[in-house]
Amino acid sequence: MHIDSSTLPGRRIEPPPSMTQLAAVALRSMILAGELSPGDRVVENQLTETLGVSKPPLREAMRVLEQEGLIVRTPRRGAVVAPLTLHDVYEIFTLRHSLERLAIDLGVPSRSPARVARCRDAYAALARAAEDGDAAAVTERGFEFHLAVVGLAGHRRIEDAYRALALQLQLCMGMNRQARRSRETLLGDALRHRGILELIESGDTDGLRHELVHHGDKTFLLDADNNFPGGSPESLAWLESVRRLGEAHDRTR
């Protein structure tokens, strides 16, 4: 009997991931979890031991991450996690917060239940990642949650501008997670974002602005002048203002 395969439900068997794919996932997770920070050397001999993979697939995985922009090759140092200067961080955060404030001003209280539902769904994904104990996924889902917050404005160009920050912002978020790990669990990280969601649901624009200013996303900056090269007059003045305005309370939050 002839069976028309076009009428059957999907039964295609997907091939298992290759060692290169598995190594790329593992190395990407190390970076987004903050285990490897911007500027850190990516040492093949150490990673073959850590990941339990041979050099050929590891090198291919490193090329994948190089194409993504997470790894760069520099003279004399070889492969390193994409470096960030203090001025880079200054630009990333000032642009990020400007876009978030503008999106909140335009989109809160929300006139679109679908946009609020997107924030709820993004928070649920973040909470699941925290429950699973996956620090890299918490970084990725955390970015998606903030992108959903920006999406409240219903303004494609603002969201596109925020999305353009994805890679460098997630590198900063990974460093922040690492800086907070001794005082905040992954579940605690998710709980901070729950407060943002509740303010969105209540339509509290002023409360949301305040919460995002004091969100705890700058803990890694408290010692930034020691950890980051490339401080400019603008970035050093900004860092001082961040501390002067009370961001140092992040140490205990």
Side-chain angles (χ1 to χ4, degrees), residues 23-24 27-28 30-31 36-44 47 58-74 77-83 167 171:
L27 186 51
R28 188 183 299 110
M30 292 176 71
I31 294 171
L36 287 171
S37 297
D40 283 354
R41 291 184 62 213
V42 182
V43 183
E44 287 185 11
L47 287 171
L58 176 61
R59 287 171 180 164
E60 286 299 316
M62 289 169 63
R63 276 192 277 270
V64 170
L65 268 64
E66 190 173 4
Q67 292 173 351
E68 293 177 358
L70 285 172
I71 288 176
V72 298
R73 297 187 184 275
T74 63
R77 296 196 69 198
V80 301
V81 179
L167 175 63
L171 286 173

PDB file of all heavy atoms in Angstrom, residues 23-24 27-28 30-31 36-44 47 58-74 77-83 167 171:
ATOM      1  N   ALA A  23      30.868  21.806  21.770  1.00  0.00           N
ATOM      2  CA  ALA A  23      31.939  22.646  22.312  1.00  0.00           C
ATOM      3  C   ALA A  23      31.575  24.123  22.197  1.00  0.00           C
ATOM      4  O   ALA A  23      31.856  24.914  23.108  1.00  0.00           O
ATOM      5  CB  ALA A  23      33.245  22.355  21.578  1.00  0.00           C
ATOM      6  N   ALA A  24      30.928  24.518  21.092  1.00  0.00           N
ATOM      7  CA  ALA A  24      30.523  25.915  20.920  1.00  0.00           C
ATOM      8  C   ALA A  24      29.493  26.304  21.973  1.00  0.00           C
ATOM      9  O   ALA A  24      29.562  27.394  22.551  1.00  0.00           O
ATOM     10  CB  ALA A  24      29.964  26.134  19.519  1.00  0.00           C
ATOM     11  N   LEU A  27      31.369  26.585  25.382  1.00  0.00           N
ATOM     12  CA  LEU A  27      32.242  27.760  25.447  1.00  0.00           C
ATOM     13  C   LEU A  27      31.414  29.050  25.501  1.00  0.00           C
ATOM     14  O   LEU A  27      31.721  29.966  26.272  1.00  0.00           O
ATOM     15  CB  LEU A  27      33.173  27.774  24.236  1.00  0.00           C
ATOM     16  CG  LEU A  27      34.258  28.844  24.183  1.00  0.00           C
ATOM     17  CD1 LEU A  27      35.081  28.882  25.465  1.00  0.00           C
ATOM     18  CD2 LEU A  27      35.164  28.621  22.975  1.00  0.00           C
ATOM     19  N   ARG A  28      30.341  29.092  24.733  1.00  0.00           N
ATOM     20  CA  ARG A  28      29.447  30.251  24.777  1.00  0.00           C
ATOM     21  C   ARG A  28      28.841  30.401  26.168  1.00  0.00           C
ATOM     22  O   ARG A  28      28.722  31.517  26.697  1.00  0.00           O
ATOM     23  CB  ARG A  28      28.346  30.093  23.730  1.00  0.00           C
ATOM     24  CG  ARG A  28      27.469  31.326  23.562  1.00  0.00           C
ATOM     25  CD  ARG A  28      26.351  31.089  22.555  1.00  0.00           C
ATOM     26  NE  ARG A  28      26.839  30.770  21.234  1.00  0.00           N
ATOM     27  CZ  ARG A  28      26.735  29.558  20.664  1.00  0.00           C
ATOM     28  NH1 ARG A  28      26.167  28.551  21.331  1.00  0.00           N
ATOM     29  NH2 ARG A  28      27.193  29.355  19.462  1.00  0.00           N
ATOM     30  N   MET A  30      30.167  29.440  29.011  1.00  0.00           N
ATOM     31  CA  MET A  30      31.198  29.930  29.931  1.00  0.00           C
ATOM     32  C   MET A  30      31.334  31.444  29.846  1.00  0.00           C
ATOM     33  O   MET A  30      31.522  32.118  30.858  1.00  0.00           O
ATOM     34  CB  MET A  30      32.537  29.251  29.621  1.00  0.00           C
ATOM     35  CG  MET A  30      32.577  27.768  29.945  1.00  0.00           C
ATOM     36  SD  MET A  30      34.153  26.997  29.447  1.00  0.00           S
ATOM     37  CE  MET A  30      35.264  27.729  30.672  1.00  0.00           C
ATOM     38  N   ILE A  31      31.226  31.985  28.640  1.00  0.00           N
ATOM     39  CA  ILE A  31      31.367  33.438  28.451  1.00  0.00           C
ATOM     40  C   ILE A  31      30.144  34.166  28.999  1.00  0.00           C
ATOM     41  O   ILE A  31      30.261  35.136  29.750  1.00  0.00           O
ATOM     42  CB  ILE A  31      31.585  33.761  26.961  1.00  0.00           C
ATOM     43  CG1 ILE A  31      32.939  33.201  26.491  1.00  0.00           C
ATOM     44  CG2 ILE A  31      31.522  35.264  26.717  1.00  0.00           C
ATOM     45  CD1 ILE A  31      33.161  33.269  24.992  1.00  0.00           C
ATOM     46  N   LEU A  36      34.316  33.226  31.838  1.00  0.00           N
ATOM     47  CA  LEU A  36      35.363  33.857  31.041  1.00  0.00           C
ATOM     48  C   LEU A  36      34.913  35.292  30.793  1.00  0.00           C
ATOM     49  O   LEU A  36      33.821  35.515  30.266  1.00  0.00           O
ATOM     50  CB  LEU A  36      35.559  33.120  29.708  1.00  0.00           C
ATOM     51  CG  LEU A  36      36.246  31.753  29.769  1.00  0.00           C
ATOM     52  CD1 LEU A  36      36.171  31.064  28.409  1.00  0.00           C
ATOM     53  CD2 LEU A  36      37.707  31.906  30.188  1.00  0.00           C
ATOM     54  N   SER A  37      35.731  36.245  31.167  1.00  0.00           N
ATOM     55  CA  SER A  37      35.359  37.655  31.069  1.00  0.00           C
ATOM     56  C   SER A  37      35.988  38.301  29.839  1.00  0.00           C
ATOM     57  O   SER A  37      36.967  37.774  29.278  1.00  0.00           O
ATOM     58  CB  SER A  37      35.823  38.412  32.323  1.00  0.00           C
ATOM     59  OG  SER A  37      35.170  37.918  33.472  1.00  0.00           O
ATOM     60  N   PRO A  38      35.433  39.431  29.394  1.00  0.00           N
ATOM     61  CA  PRO A  38      36.041  40.145  28.268  1.00  0.00           C
ATOM     62  C   PRO A  38      37.533  40.383  28.489  1.00  0.00           C
ATOM     63  O   PRO A  38      37.954  40.823  29.551  1.00  0.00           O
ATOM     64  CB  PRO A  38      35.261  41.465  28.241  1.00  0.00           C
ATOM     65  CG  PRO A  38      33.906  41.090  28.753  1.00  0.00           C
ATOM     66  CD  PRO A  38      34.179  40.083  29.837  1.00  0.00           C
ATOM     67  N   GLY A  39      38.306  40.046  27.472  1.00  0.00           N
ATOM     68  CA  GLY A  39      39.754  40.203  27.539  1.00  0.00           C
ATOM     69  C   GLY A  39      40.487  38.966  28.022  1.00  0.00           C
ATOM     70  O   GLY A  39      41.707  38.876  27.867  1.00  0.00           O
ATOM     71  N   ASP A  40      39.771  37.993  28.620  1.00  0.00           N
ATOM     72  CA  ASP A  40      40.421  36.756  29.072  1.00  0.00           C
ATOM     73  C   ASP A  40      40.915  35.947  27.877  1.00  0.00           C
ATOM     74  O   ASP A  40      40.223  35.858  26.846  1.00  0.00           O
ATOM     75  CB  ASP A  40      39.456  35.883  29.876  1.00  0.00           C
ATOM     76  CG  ASP A  40      39.245  36.392  31.288  1.00  0.00           C
ATOM     77  OD1 ASP A  40      39.930  37.349  31.692  1.00  0.00           O
ATOM     78  OD2 ASP A  40      38.378  35.824  31.989  1.00  0.00           O
ATOM     79  N   ARG A  41      42.091  35.341  28.023  1.00  0.00           N
ATOM     80  CA  ARG A  41      42.604  34.457  26.982  1.00  0.00           C
ATOM     81  C   ARG A  41      41.774  33.191  26.925  1.00  0.00           C
ATOM     82  O   ARG A  41      41.325  32.664  27.937  1.00  0.00           O
ATOM     83  CB  ARG A  41      44.061  34.110  27.237  1.00  0.00           C
ATOM     84  CG  ARG A  41      45.034  35.266  27.062  1.00  0.00           C
ATOM     85  CD  ARG A  41      46.461  34.786  27.254  1.00  0.00           C
ATOM     86  NE  ARG A  41      46.832  33.784  26.256  1.00  0.00           N
ATOM     87  CZ  ARG A  41      47.670  32.762  26.480  1.00  0.00           C
ATOM     88  NH1 ARG A  41      48.215  32.602  27.671  1.00  0.00           N
ATOM     89  NH2 ARG A  41      47.957  31.915  25.517  1.00  0.00           N
ATOM     90  N   VAL A  42      41.552  32.701  25.712  1.00  0.00           N
ATOM     91  CA  VAL A  42      40.864  31.433  25.490  1.00  0.00           C
ATOM     92  C   VAL A  42      41.953  30.408  25.176  1.00  0.00           C
ATOM     93  O   VAL A  42      42.454  30.343  24.054  1.00  0.00           O
ATOM     94  CB  VAL A  42      39.845  31.538  24.339  1.00  0.00           C
ATOM     95  CG1 VAL A  42      39.097  30.218  24.163  1.00  0.00           C
ATOM     96  CG2 VAL A  42      38.855  32.675  24.617  1.00  0.00           C
ATOM     97  N   VAL A  43      42.356  29.646  26.199  1.00  0.00           N
ATOM     98  CA  VAL A  43      43.532  28.774  26.107  1.00  0.00           C
ATOM     99  C   VAL A  43      43.095  27.362  25.731  1.00  0.00           C
ATOM    100  O   VAL A  43      42.375  26.694  26.483  1.00  0.00           O
ATOM    101  CB  VAL A  43      44.297  28.754  27.444  1.00  0.00           C
ATOM    102  CG1 VAL A  43      45.561  27.903  27.319  1.00  0.00           C
ATOM    103  CG2 VAL A  43      44.649  30.178  27.872  1.00  0.00           C
ATOM    104  N   GLU A  44      43.531  26.917  24.561  1.00  0.00           N
ATOM    105  CA  GLU A  44      43.100  25.614  24.047  1.00  0.00           C
ATOM    106  C   GLU A  44      43.413  24.478  25.006  1.00  0.00           C
ATOM    107  O   GLU A  44      42.559  23.624  25.274  1.00  0.00           O
ATOM    108  CB  GLU A  44      43.766  25.343  22.695  1.00  0.00           C
ATOM    109  CG  GLU A  44      43.216  26.160  21.556  1.00  0.00           C
ATOM    110  CD  GLU A  44      43.834  25.752  20.229  1.00  0.00           C
ATOM    111  OE1 GLU A  44      44.532  24.708  20.192  1.00  0.00           O
ATOM    112  OE2 GLU A  44      43.629  26.465  19.233  1.00  0.00           O
ATOM    113  N   LEU A  47      41.050  24.366  27.903  1.00  0.00           N
ATOM    114  CA  LEU A  47      39.668  24.063  27.538  1.00  0.00           C
ATOM    115  C   LEU A  47      39.481  22.617  27.105  1.00  0.00           C
ATOM    116  O   LEU A  47      38.413  22.042  27.321  1.00  0.00           O
ATOM    117  CB  LEU A  47      39.202  25.006  26.436  1.00  0.00           C
ATOM    118  CG  LEU A  47      38.952  26.444  26.896  1.00  0.00           C
ATOM    119  CD1 LEU A  47      38.707  27.348  25.712  1.00  0.00           C
ATOM    120  CD2 LEU A  47      37.768  26.489  27.855  1.00  0.00           C
ATOM    121  N   LEU A  58      37.348  21.816  19.094  1.00  0.00           N
ATOM    122  CA  LEU A  58      37.421  23.028  19.905  1.00  0.00           C
ATOM    123  C   LEU A  58      37.811  24.226  19.030  1.00  0.00           C
ATOM    124  O   LEU A  58      37.242  25.314  19.149  1.00  0.00           O
ATOM    125  CB  LEU A  58      38.431  22.857  21.037  1.00  0.00           C
ATOM    126  CG  LEU A  58      38.659  24.097  21.903  1.00  0.00           C
ATOM    127  CD1 LEU A  58      37.377  24.530  22.594  1.00  0.00           C
ATOM    128  CD2 LEU A  58      39.754  23.839  22.938  1.00  0.00           C
ATOM    129  N   ARG A  59      38.768  24.020  18.141  1.00  0.00           N
ATOM    130  CA  ARG A  59      39.185  25.107  17.252  1.00  0.00           C
ATOM    131  C   ARG A  59      38.051  25.527  16.332  1.00  0.00           C
ATOM    132  O   ARG A  59      37.859  26.715  16.063  1.00  0.00           O
ATOM    133  CB  ARG A  59      40.415  24.677  16.449  1.00  0.00           C
ATOM    134  CG  ARG A  59      41.685  24.628  17.290  1.00  0.00           C
ATOM    135  CD  ARG A  59      42.838  23.989  16.547  1.00  0.00           C
ATOM    136  NE  ARG A  59      44.035  23.955  17.377  1.00  0.00           N
ATOM    137  CZ  ARG A  59      45.099  23.203  17.124  1.00  0.00           C
ATOM    138  NH1 ARG A  59      45.104  22.415  16.043  1.00  0.00           N
ATOM    139  NH2 ARG A  59      46.159  23.228  17.917  1.00  0.00           N
ATOM    140  N   GLU A  60      37.286  24.538  15.850  1.00  0.00           N
ATOM    141  CA  GLU A  60      36.124  24.871  15.019  1.00  0.00           C
ATOM    142  C   GLU A  60      35.094  25.649  15.826  1.00  0.00           C
ATOM    143  O   GLU A  60      34.481  26.597  15.325  1.00  0.00           O
ATOM    144  CB  GLU A  60      35.499  23.584  14.458  1.00  0.00           C
ATOM    145  CG  GLU A  60      36.288  22.940  13.341  1.00  0.00           C
ATOM    146  CD  GLU A  60      36.416  23.861  12.135  1.00  0.00           C
ATOM    147  OE1 GLU A  60      35.418  24.496  11.748  1.00  0.00           O
ATOM    148  OE2 GLU A  60      37.527  23.953  11.577  1.00  0.00           O
ATOM    149  N   ALA A  61      34.897  25.248  17.079  1.00  0.00           N
ATOM    150  CA  ALA A  61      33.948  25.954  17.953  1.00  0.00           C
ATOM    151  C   ALA A  61      34.406  27.389  18.188  1.00  0.00           C
ATOM    152  O   ALA A  61      33.590  28.319  18.192  1.00  0.00           O
ATOM    153  CB  ALA A  61      33.810  25.213  19.281  1.00  0.00           C
ATOM    154  N   MET A  62      35.699  27.566  18.362  1.00  0.00           N
ATOM    155  CA  MET A  62      36.227  28.915  18.567  1.00  0.00           C
ATOM    156  C   MET A  62      36.012  29.774  17.327  1.00  0.00           C
ATOM    157  O   MET A  62      35.726  30.974  17.436  1.00  0.00           O
ATOM    158  CB  MET A  62      37.706  28.848  18.937  1.00  0.00           C
ATOM    159  CG  MET A  62      37.942  28.290  20.346  1.00  0.00           C
ATOM    160  SD  MET A  62      39.686  27.912  20.704  1.00  0.00           S
ATOM    161  CE  MET A  62      40.426  29.537  20.577  1.00  0.00           C
ATOM    162  N   ARG A  63      36.111  29.169  16.148  1.00  0.00           N
ATOM    163  CA  ARG A  63      35.843  29.922  14.920  1.00  0.00           C
ATOM    164  C   ARG A  63      34.373  30.338  14.843  1.00  0.00           C
ATOM    165  O   ARG A  63      34.054  31.433  14.370  1.00  0.00           O
ATOM    166  CB  ARG A  63      36.241  29.092  13.688  1.00  0.00           C
ATOM    167  CG  ARG A  63      37.727  29.198  13.356  1.00  0.00           C
ATOM    168  CD  ARG A  63      38.038  28.616  11.999  1.00  0.00           C
ATOM    169  NE  ARG A  63      38.194  27.173  12.057  1.00  0.00           N
ATOM    170  CZ  ARG A  63      39.352  26.561  12.286  1.00  0.00           C
ATOM    171  NH1 ARG A  63      40.447  27.264  12.486  1.00  0.00           N
ATOM    172  NH2 ARG A  63      39.415  25.245  12.312  1.00  0.00           N
ATOM    173  N   VAL A  64      33.481  29.445  15.305  1.00  0.00           N
ATOM    174  CA  VAL A  64      32.054  29.792  15.332  1.00  0.00           C
ATOM    175  C   VAL A  64      31.824  31.013  16.220  1.00  0.00           C
ATOM    176  O   VAL A  64      31.128  31.968  15.839  1.00  0.00           O
ATOM    177  CB  VAL A  64      31.214  28.598  15.838  1.00  0.00           C
ATOM    178  CG1 VAL A  64      29.772  29.025  16.105  1.00  0.00           C
ATOM    179  CG2 VAL A  64      31.242  27.454  14.829  1.00  0.00           C
ATOM    180  N   LEU A  65      32.416  31.008  17.417  1.00  0.00           N
ATOM    181  CA  LEU A  65      32.237  32.121  18.347  1.00  0.00           C
ATOM    182  C   LEU A  65      32.945  33.380  17.852  1.00  0.00           C
ATOM    183  O   LEU A  65      32.516  34.492  18.171  1.00  0.00           O
ATOM    184  CB  LEU A  65      32.729  31.732  19.746  1.00  0.00           C
ATOM    185  CG  LEU A  65      31.634  31.154  20.661  1.00  0.00           C
ATOM    186  CD1 LEU A  65      31.100  29.835  20.112  1.00  0.00           C
ATOM    187  CD2 LEU A  65      32.146  30.959  22.074  1.00  0.00           C
ATOM    188  N   GLU A  66      34.013  33.186  17.074  1.00  0.00           N
ATOM    189  CA  GLU A  66      34.677  34.349  16.481  1.00  0.00           C
ATOM    190  C   GLU A  66      33.748  35.009  15.463  1.00  0.00           C
ATOM    191  O   GLU A  66      33.654  36.236  15.402  1.00  0.00           O
ATOM    192  CB  GLU A  66      35.980  33.912  15.819  1.00  0.00           C
ATOM    193  CG  GLU A  66      36.861  35.057  15.377  1.00  0.00           C
ATOM    194  CD  GLU A  66      38.223  34.582  14.878  1.00  0.00           C
ATOM    195  OE1 GLU A  66      38.458  33.360  14.810  1.00  0.00           O
ATOM    196  OE2 GLU A  66      39.048  35.458  14.544  1.00  0.00           O
ATOM    197  N   GLN A  67      33.026  34.206  14.679  1.00  0.00           N
ATOM    198  CA  GLN A  67      32.068  34.752  13.728  1.00  0.00           C
ATOM    199  C   GLN A  67      30.918  35.465  14.444  1.00  0.00           C
ATOM    200  O   GLN A  67      30.385  36.459  13.946  1.00  0.00           O
ATOM    201  CB  GLN A  67      31.524  33.631  12.839  1.00  0.00           C
ATOM    202  CG  GLN A  67      32.555  33.045  11.897  1.00  0.00           C
ATOM    203  CD  GLN A  67      32.053  31.821  11.148  1.00  0.00           C
ATOM    204  OE1 GLN A  67      30.988  31.295  11.440  1.00  0.00           O
ATOM    205  NE2 GLN A  67      32.832  31.358  10.193  1.00  0.00           N
ATOM    206  N   GLU A  68      30.557  34.977  15.629  1.00  0.00           N
ATOM    207  CA  GLU A  68      29.484  35.606  16.407  1.00  0.00           C
ATOM    208  C   GLU A  68      29.939  36.900  17.072  1.00  0.00           C
ATOM    209  O   GLU A  68      29.109  37.695  17.514  1.00  0.00           O
ATOM    210  CB  GLU A  68      28.988  34.636  17.494  1.00  0.00           C
ATOM    211  CG  GLU A  68      28.291  33.400  16.946  1.00  0.00           C
ATOM    212  CD  GLU A  68      27.893  32.432  18.050  1.00  0.00           C
ATOM    213  OE1 GLU A  68      28.200  32.708  19.235  1.00  0.00           O
ATOM    214  OE2 GLU A  68      27.271  31.408  17.731  1.00  0.00           O
ATOM    215  N   GLY A  69      31.256  37.089  17.179  1.00  0.00           N
ATOM    216  CA  GLY A  69      31.774  38.284  17.825  1.00  0.00           C
ATOM    217  C   GLY A  69      32.082  38.110  19.296  1.00  0.00           C
ATOM    218  O   GLY A  69      32.436  39.076  19.973  1.00  0.00           O
ATOM    219  N   LEU A  70      31.978  36.882  19.811  1.00  0.00           N
ATOM    220  CA  LEU A  70      32.274  36.641  21.225  1.00  0.00           C
ATOM    221  C   LEU A  70      33.760  36.441  21.473  1.00  0.00           C
ATOM    222  O   LEU A  70      34.241  36.660  22.580  1.00  0.00           O
ATOM    223  CB  LEU A  70      31.503  35.424  21.732  1.00  0.00           C
ATOM    224  CG  LEU A  70      30.005  35.627  21.986  1.00  0.00           C
ATOM    225  CD1 LEU A  70      29.326  34.296  22.299  1.00  0.00           C
ATOM    226  CD2 LEU A  70      29.781  36.608  23.125  1.00  0.00           C
ATOM    227  N   ILE A  71      34.484  36.019  20.455  1.00  0.00           N
ATOM    228  CA  ILE A  71      35.927  35.792  20.555  1.00  0.00           C
ATOM    229  C   ILE A  71      36.606  36.593  19.448  1.00  0.00           C
ATOM    230  O   ILE A  71      36.092  36.677  18.335  1.00  0.00           O
ATOM    231  CB  ILE A  71      36.265  34.290  20.424  1.00  0.00           C
ATOM    232  CG1 ILE A  71      35.843  33.531  21.692  1.00  0.00           C
ATOM    233  CG2 ILE A  71      37.751  34.069  20.156  1.00  0.00           C
ATOM    234  CD1 ILE A  71      36.064  32.027  21.609  1.00  0.00           C
ATOM    235  N   VAL A  72      37.750  37.171  19.780  1.00  0.00           N
ATOM    236  CA  VAL A  72      38.568  37.859  18.772  1.00  0.00           C
ATOM    237  C   VAL A  72      40.004  37.360  18.910  1.00  0.00           C
ATOM    238  O   VAL A  72      40.406  36.864  19.966  1.00  0.00           O
ATOM    239  CB  VAL A  72      38.525  39.392  18.942  1.00  0.00           C
ATOM    240  CG1 VAL A  72      37.118  39.933  18.754  1.00  0.00           C
ATOM    241  CG2 VAL A  72      39.070  39.814  20.296  1.00  0.00           C
ATOM    242  N   ARG A  73      40.749  37.494  17.852  1.00  0.00           N
ATOM    243  CA  ARG A  73      42.168  37.129  17.879  1.00  0.00           C
ATOM    244  C   ARG A  73      42.995  38.402  17.870  1.00  0.00           C
ATOM    245  O   ARG A  73      42.743  39.296  17.062  1.00  0.00           O
ATOM    246  CB  ARG A  73      42.511  36.221  16.701  1.00  0.00           C
ATOM    247  CG  ARG A  73      41.758  34.903  16.751  1.00  0.00           C
ATOM    248  CD  ARG A  73      42.190  33.916  15.684  1.00  0.00           C
ATOM    249  NE  ARG A  73      41.363  32.723  15.731  1.00  0.00           N
ATOM    250  CZ  ARG A  73      41.584  31.684  16.537  1.00  0.00           C
ATOM    251  NH1 ARG A  73      42.641  31.708  17.344  1.00  0.00           N
ATOM    252  NH2 ARG A  73      40.785  30.637  16.535  1.00  0.00           N
ATOM    253  N   THR A  74      43.950  38.459  18.776  1.00  0.00           N
ATOM    254  CA  THR A  74      44.777  39.660  18.895  1.00  0.00           C
ATOM    255  C   THR A  74      46.247  39.282  18.755  1.00  0.00           C
ATOM    256  O   THR A  74      46.643  38.159  19.085  1.00  0.00           O
ATOM    257  CB  THR A  74      44.572  40.338  20.263  1.00  0.00           C
ATOM    258  OG1 THR A  74      45.011  39.448  21.303  1.00  0.00           O
ATOM    259  CG2 THR A  74      43.108  40.673  20.494  1.00  0.00           C
ATOM    260  N   ARG A  77      48.559  37.711  21.907  1.00  0.00           N
ATOM    261  CA  ARG A  77      47.737  37.029  22.917  1.00  0.00           C
ATOM    262  C   ARG A  77      46.924  35.890  22.330  1.00  0.00           C
ATOM    263  O   ARG A  77      46.422  35.037  23.053  1.00  0.00           O
ATOM    264  CB  ARG A  77      46.797  38.024  23.599  1.00  0.00           C
ATOM    265  CG  ARG A  77      47.497  39.105  24.395  1.00  0.00           C
ATOM    266  CD  ARG A  77      46.528  39.786  25.322  1.00  0.00           C
ATOM    267  NE  ARG A  77      46.093  38.920  26.400  1.00  0.00           N
ATOM    268  CZ  ARG A  77      45.015  39.130  27.151  1.00  0.00           C
ATOM    269  NH1 ARG A  77      44.235  40.174  26.909  1.00  0.00           N
ATOM    270  NH2 ARG A  77      44.698  38.311  28.125  1.00  0.00           N
ATOM    271  N   GLY A  78      46.740  35.873  21.032  1.00  0.00           N
ATOM    272  CA  GLY A  78      45.932  34.832  20.426  1.00  0.00           C
ATOM    273  C   GLY A  78      44.444  35.113  20.619  1.00  0.00           C
ATOM    274  O   GLY A  78      43.999  36.260  20.568  1.00  0.00           O
ATOM    275  N   ALA A  79      43.682  34.051  20.869  1.00  0.00           N
ATOM    276  CA  ALA A  79      42.237  34.188  21.013  1.00  0.00           C
ATOM    277  C   ALA A  79      41.884  34.689  22.410  1.00  0.00           C
ATOM    278  O   ALA A  79      42.384  34.175  23.410  1.00  0.00           O
ATOM    279  CB  ALA A  79      41.556  32.853  20.753  1.00  0.00           C
ATOM    280  N   VAL A  80      41.009  35.695  22.470  1.00  0.00           N
ATOM    281  CA  VAL A  80      40.531  36.232  23.745  1.00  0.00           C
ATOM    282  C   VAL A  80      39.035  36.471  23.632  1.00  0.00           C
ATOM    283  O   VAL A  80      38.485  36.632  22.539  1.00  0.00           O
ATOM    284  CB  VAL A  80      41.238  37.557  24.137  1.00  0.00           C
ATOM    285  CG1 VAL A  80      42.733  37.355  24.260  1.00  0.00           C
ATOM    286  CG2 VAL A  80      40.909  38.662  23.138  1.00  0.00           C
ATOM    287  N   VAL A  81      38.366  36.475  24.776  1.00  0.00           N
ATOM    288  CA  VAL A  81      36.976  36.894  24.798  1.00  0.00           C
ATOM    289  C   VAL A  81      36.925  38.358  24.377  1.00  0.00           C
ATOM    290  O   VAL A  81      37.779  39.153  24.777  1.00  0.00           O
ATOM    291  CB  VAL A  81      36.375  36.724  26.213  1.00  0.00           C
ATOM    292  CG1 VAL A  81      34.916  37.189  26.233  1.00  0.00           C
ATOM    293  CG2 VAL A  81      36.471  35.268  26.657  1.00  0.00           C
ATOM    294  N   ALA A  82      35.949  38.703  23.538  1.00  0.00           N
ATOM    295  CA  ALA A  82      35.855  40.065  23.006  1.00  0.00           C
ATOM    296  C   ALA A  82      36.054  41.093  24.120  1.00  0.00           C
ATOM    297  O   ALA A  82      35.276  41.126  25.072  1.00  0.00           O
ATOM    298  CB  ALA A  82      34.497  40.270  22.346  1.00  0.00           C
ATOM    299  N   PRO A  83      37.103  41.909  24.044  1.00  0.00           N
ATOM    300  CA  PRO A  83      37.415  42.842  25.133  1.00  0.00           C
ATOM    301  C   PRO A  83      36.480  44.048  25.147  1.00  0.00           C
ATOM    302  O   PRO A  83      35.917  44.439  24.121  1.00  0.00           O
ATOM    303  CB  PRO A  83      38.856  43.257  24.842  1.00  0.00           C
ATOM    304  CG  PRO A  83      39.010  43.081  23.366  1.00  0.00           C
ATOM    305  CD  PRO A  83      38.114  41.947  22.978  1.00  0.00           C
ATOM    306  N   LEU A 167      24.966  41.568  22.042  1.00  0.00           N
ATOM    307  CA  LEU A 167      26.213  40.856  22.336  1.00  0.00           C
ATOM    308  C   LEU A 167      26.977  41.523  23.468  1.00  0.00           C
ATOM    309  O   LEU A 167      27.307  40.882  24.474  1.00  0.00           O
ATOM    310  CB  LEU A 167      27.077  40.792  21.080  1.00  0.00           C
ATOM    311  CG  LEU A 167      28.474  40.179  21.266  1.00  0.00           C
ATOM    312  CD1 LEU A 167      28.355  38.730  21.685  1.00  0.00           C
ATOM    313  CD2 LEU A 167      29.281  40.305  19.988  1.00  0.00           C
ATOM    314  N   LEU A 171      27.589  40.346  27.489  1.00  0.00           N
ATOM    315  CA  LEU A 171      28.909  40.210  28.102  1.00  0.00           C
ATOM    316  C   LEU A 171      28.940  40.938  29.447  1.00  0.00           C
ATOM    317  O   LEU A 171      29.454  40.422  30.444  1.00  0.00           O
ATOM    318  CB  LEU A 171      29.996  40.775  27.178  1.00  0.00           C
ATOM    319  CG  LEU A 171      30.360  39.949  25.938  1.00  0.00           C
ATOM    320  CD1 LEU A 171      31.311  40.732  25.046  1.00  0.00           C
ATOM    321  CD2 LEU A 171      30.963  38.605  26.325  1.00  0.00           C
TER     322      LEU A 171
END
